[in-house]
Amino acid sequence: MASINSTSRVLSGMRPTGRLHLGHYHGVLKNWIRLQQEFDCYFFVADWHALTTHYEDPHIIAESVWEMVIDWLAAGVNPGSAQLFIQSHVPEHAELHLLLSMLTPLGWLERVPSYKDQQEKLRERDLATYGFLGYPLLQSADILIYGADKVPVGEDQVAHVELTREVARRFNHLYGREQGYEAAAEAAIKKMGKKNAKLYRELLKRYQEQGDHQAVEVAQALLAEQQNLALSDRERLLGFLEGGGRMILTEPSALLSPASKMPGLDGQKMSKSYHNTISLREAPEDVQEKLRTMPTDPARVRRTDPGNPDVCPVWQLHQVYSDDTQKAWVREGCSSAGIGCLECKQLIIDSVLAELKPIQERARDYERDPGRVRAIIHEGSEVARDVARQTLDEVRQVMGLKY
Ligand code: TRP
Ligand code: SF4
């Protein structure tokens, strides 16, 4: 099992809901490319996740799956160092999701911040569904089935990794106990005296049923105060609290992606919903046109007006693409009206085109050879399934599903 494997395993998924752009490249893909050199990496197309929000118009998913894989490969994700696959090609994810759903308290899912946030944000979609509520748990299954201990995610996904840890802990607590573990814990609880034992049980319940972290802290403090408990009993009850016992599922940690807020063409974060993107396969003429026409300091109407880079979206792109000398040249030239905005933008145009050139060349190779792309995914899915089956086998076993 992965939990006794010494090398770290990294897992991450991406929803196929459209073409990838420079925001994905700087925010996610460059990070994956770095991680694949160091760790055992599994990267997958999260098609079922996309369905939780796009079940009414799934065609976008089918259109995006292979294009997204091409974008990954073109960006430099290497099938020689990472396993690439499609979630629905590894149906074991669904079985683990089902089994985990048996022991996951509803409150844990209702409290995940993205549940309410996304419902508010995507008002045009009906997200009062079972699938949408459960999707963070599906994500937990994605992670736990590979025994992944590192999950690169953005800020918005940290709560999902946190949920995954709690589900793993609860699972290990329920099914990973050693013989007699529970009886020993019960005996230790009694040694605390009636009042404290009752309090401990209440805190345990509050944590396990409502995921109340404060309850764990209070219980830890309570245990620390118990002079009449032997250290071994105290440790036992600490472990009991956190679902101690044998570790069957590995608790992952989030690898918070370095907050790359890649600016879009309007200075807001680059995102499809803001219509301010440059896609990885954008034609060079269109890249040029988009950058030439992007807004600048609104106070700089004429070439002779001095400008202020701090209020200009182009300046934000210089933070990504330009070195100190270039930035000094821009700042000085802009505020003294020594340079024009087109000259200023030309540096960005050159950098973006240089960055996209090798990506687009590789993309063209893969576009011409769809069989190769399919073979890569097929192989990745086979490797993923082997690992997933092993985990699921053990899960079935400890849950008593072997007849
Ligand atoms: N939920 C993630 C997103 O919306 C995608 C995802 C699915 C994922 N399963 C995952 C990310 C497992 C990391 C690990 O972006
Ligand atoms: Fe913006 Fe550059 Fe024009 Fe200054 S010179 S306003 S930084 S585009």
Side-chain angles (χ1 to χ4, degrees), residues 199-267:
L199 181 56
Y200 175 85
R201 285 210 173 84
E202 276 168 14
L203 292 165
L204 185 66
K205 196 163 153 202
R206 249 171 60 198
Y207 175 59
Q208 287 178 348
E209 289 179 7
Q210 296 150 39
D212 183 346
H213 287 282
Q214 233 183 336
V216 178
E217 281 165 32
V218 177
Q220 281 166 345
L222 175 74
L223 289 173
E225 283 167 15
Q226 303 305 305
Q227 302 302 339
N228 54 336
L229 276 191
L231 183 63
S232 59
D233 273 342
R234 236 182 285 167
E235 282 177 345
R236 187 167 282 131
L237 291 184
L238 271 177
F240 199 48
L241 197 63
E242 293 177 349
R246 195 158 62 92
M247 200 171 77
I248 298 163
L249 297 178
T250 306
E251 283 184 43
S253 6
L255 270 187
L256 193 58
S257 313
S260 157
K261 296 260 183 307
M262 173 72 191
L265 294 163
D266 56 358

Side-chain angles (χ1 to χ4, degrees), residues 11-15 32 44-46 49 87 93 135-136 138-140 142-143 151-154 156-157 160-161:
L11 173 118
S12 202
M14 206 188 275
R15 293 166 173 243
W32 284 12
F44 73 98
V45 180
H49 283 270
Q87 183 179 31
H93 290 225
Y135 109 81
L138 176 59
Q139 183 163 353
S140 298
D142 300 337
I143 297 168
V151 183
V153 285
D156 59 321
Q157 298 279 313
H160 299 171
V161 180

Side-chain angles (χ1 to χ4, degrees), residues 125-399:
R125 301 182 187 276
D126 179 2
L127 296 181
T129 58
Y130 178 57
F132 187 71
L133 175 67
Y135 109 81
L137 187 64
L138 176 59
Q139 183 163 353
S140 298
D142 300 337
I143 297 168
L144 296 172
I145 207 161
Y146 299 106
D149 56 344
K150 293 189 168 59
V151 183
V153 285
E155 192 107 47
D156 59 321
Q157 298 279 313
V158 173
H160 299 171
V161 180
E162 206 39 58
L163 170 78
T164 305
R165 294 171 64 80
E166 290 184 359
V167 170
R169 227 177 281 158
R170 183 155 163 76
F171 184 94
N172 292 336
H173 170 66
L174 287 168
Y175 306 111
R177 279 168 303 187
E178 319 287 6
Q179 284 282 323
Y181 184 79
E182 185 142 347
E186 281 300 327
I189 292 176
K190 292 215 176 77
K191 289 186 202 153
M192 281 196 279
K194 258 210 178 101
K195 206 171 121 223
N196 285 334
K198 184 161 172 250
L199 181 56
Y200 175 85
R201 285 210 173 84
E202 276 168 14
L203 292 165
L204 185 66
K205 196 163 153 202
R206 249 171 60 198
Y207 175 59
Q208 287 178 348
E209 289 179 7
Q210 296 150 39
D212 183 346
H213 287 282
Q214 233 183 336
V216 178
E217 281 165 32
V218 177
Q220 281 166 345
L222 175 74
L223 289 173
E225 283 167 15
Q226 303 305 305
Q227 302 302 339
N228 54 336
L229 276 191
L231 183 63
S232 59
D233 273 342
R234 236 182 285 167
E235 282 177 345
R236 187 167 282 131
L237 291 184
L238 271 177
F240 199 48
L241 197 63
E242 293 177 349
R246 195 158 62 92
M247 200 171 77
I248 298 163
L249 297 178
T250 306
E251 283 184 43
S253 6
L255 270 187
L256 193 58
S257 313
S260 157
K261 296 260 183 307
M262 173 72 191
L265 294 163
D266 56 358
Q268 297 188 81
K269 177 179 172 214
M270 187 178 282
S271 160
K272 193 175 62 170
S273 47
Y274 299 148
H275 305 288
N276 63 359
T277 63
I278 293 176
S279 76
L280 294 184
R281 282 183 267 168
E282 192 98 36
E285 312 80 77
D286 296 341
V287 172
Q288 202 156 38
E289 180 63 16
K290 280 186 169 178
L291 289 167
R292 280 207 176 131
T293 53
M294 74 180 274
T296 59
D297 173 1
R300 200 171 182 208
V301 183
R302 280 172 296 263
R303 166 70 175 77
T304 49
D305 296 333
N308 175 8
D310 295 327
V311 299
C312 176
V314 181
W315 176 245
Q316 293 188 43
L317 286 172
H318 281 291
Q319 303 309 310
V320 177
Y321 288 105
S322 301
D323 62 26
D324 288 346
T325 322
Q326 290 167 316
K327 283 192 270 194
W329 176 78
V330 168
R331 192 164 262 294
E332 154 62 21
C334 177
S335 47
S336 65
I339 59 169
C341 290
L342 279 178
E343 281 169 86
C344 176
K345 288 171 167 180
Q346 192 59 44
L347 288 184
I348 304 292
I349 293 172
D350 293 342
S351 301
V352 172
L353 290 178
E355 178 170 66
L356 291 180
K357 190 162 181 270
I359 296 179
Q360 299 194 345
E361 280 169 8
R362 278 193 295 265
R364 270 192 294 276
D365 288 344
Y366 286 110
E367 283 164 6
R368 276 192 225 107
D369 195 355
R372 188 158 144 232
V373 179
R374 280 170 196 269
I376 288 169
I377 288 295
H378 182 75
E379 279 169 34
S381 302
E382 288 298 306
V383 174
R385 278 196 93 169
D386 276 347
V387 180
R389 276 201 201 103
Q390 282 175 38
T391 306
L392 199 53
D393 229 43
E394 187 166 12
V395 166
R396 287 183 188 139
Q397 181 95 40
V398 298
M399 288 184 86

Side-chain angles (χ1 to χ4, degrees), residues 67-81:
E67 296 305 323
M68 196 167 87
V69 175
I70 291 178
D71 282 337
W72 290 358
L73 294 167
V77 177
N78 179 0
S81 352

